[in-house]
Amino acid sequence: MKYNLFLLLLLTFSCNSLKNKPLEKSLKSAINPILNNNNFNGVVLIAQDTNIIYSKAMGFSDLEAKTPLLLSDQFVIGSISKQITAVLVLRAFEKGKIDLNDKIYKFLTTLEQPWAKTVTIHHLLTHTHGIVDLEKPLAFEPGTSFQYSQLGYELLARILEALNNKSFEAIATDFFEAQGLINTYHPNHKIYKNLVKGYEEQENGTLAFSENSLENYAAAGSFIANAKDLIKWNKLLHTGKLVQQETLDLMKIPYATRNHPIFDQVKYGYGLLFKDKEQGIEIGALGYAPGFASACYYYPLTDRQVIVLENTAWHLDDFKKTFQVHTYIMKLVKDMKGSK
């Protein structure tokens, strides 16, 4: 019986491997020249379901030491962090600890501005709150406009701390461990060993080490992960393992529109973004932290994923160029024929 099961598993693996061979060859021929021509320094993983159909680690984790990059290396993932924070908030919602229309003063009673009694958790999740400073009036009435905000997600982290009576670092660490995300970290949980160095282009055209890559609010933009964990994250999220399907559907509603520096115009859900009417086609997020340009996207129609993590940032005066490899690969995978 065990022998027959082994043969069945081996046959299944072999069939999947053979089925993906033409796709792997096609991806290599399309992507490798782009990486070479753009001085790419980072990691690319593309998956079909959870099967890796393209992988590339190229360049160095430490430019000065010339340490070769590995697929297992860890990167600061920038605003990809926001969907993690959104999931933590929505898990509290599913447990009945919060309502998305709760005013934030209910949990953050030390906030002194009157807007604390009008801004809701929903507003924070969707960047429609208008908070620009904890000591200043709102930029606009909540729910009437969009203004991309790191501070809003930091306030979500503080609400989670109030709900759980523990630090956001501890909340995130417990969550990552429970989900088997063994290479994903809150930046203050300093047991990570394979974090690469990030570099930004200077005015003279050279790269310099970015010392402030982890200075953003963790909840908004400085979680640490590697590409394989982001593959796992996407699969857990989009198969309803992290939140219920009804809650996942809430994450993908287009609540607000942003004029985006890379995509021109995008729709925002809860920590996820997508082009108009494409939440069933291409959904995820880009992330930027000083020296780190990242992409984490899922393609529901084909059950494919794209993870691009780069630790050299060029053309900072034009983010479309900074992310040109990322967006090229995303379009390539979105346009490729195939089905689940």
Side-chain angles (χ1 to χ4, degrees), residues 61-64 76 195-202 206-214 288-292 311-313:
S61 61
D62 183 323
L63 296 186
E64 294 82 11
V76 185
L195 177 62
V196 306
K197 296 171 71 174
Y199 299 84
E200 288 188 319
E201 185 180 15
Q202 305 301 296
T206 63
L207 290 169
F209 171 55
S210 300
E211 297 184 7
N212 59 339
S213 300
L214 296 172
Y288 188 79
F292 292 91
N311 64 318
T312 55

Side-chain angles (χ1 to χ4, degrees), residues 228-246:
K228 289 183 178 179
D229 260 22
L230 290 176
I231 292 284
K232 184 182 292 186
W233 166 265
N234 272 341
K235 196 62 181 176
L236 288 169
L237 177 60
H238 292 284
T239 55
K241 300 294 194 306
L242 300 179
V243 293
Q244 299 168 16
Q245 183 60 49
E246 294 84 356

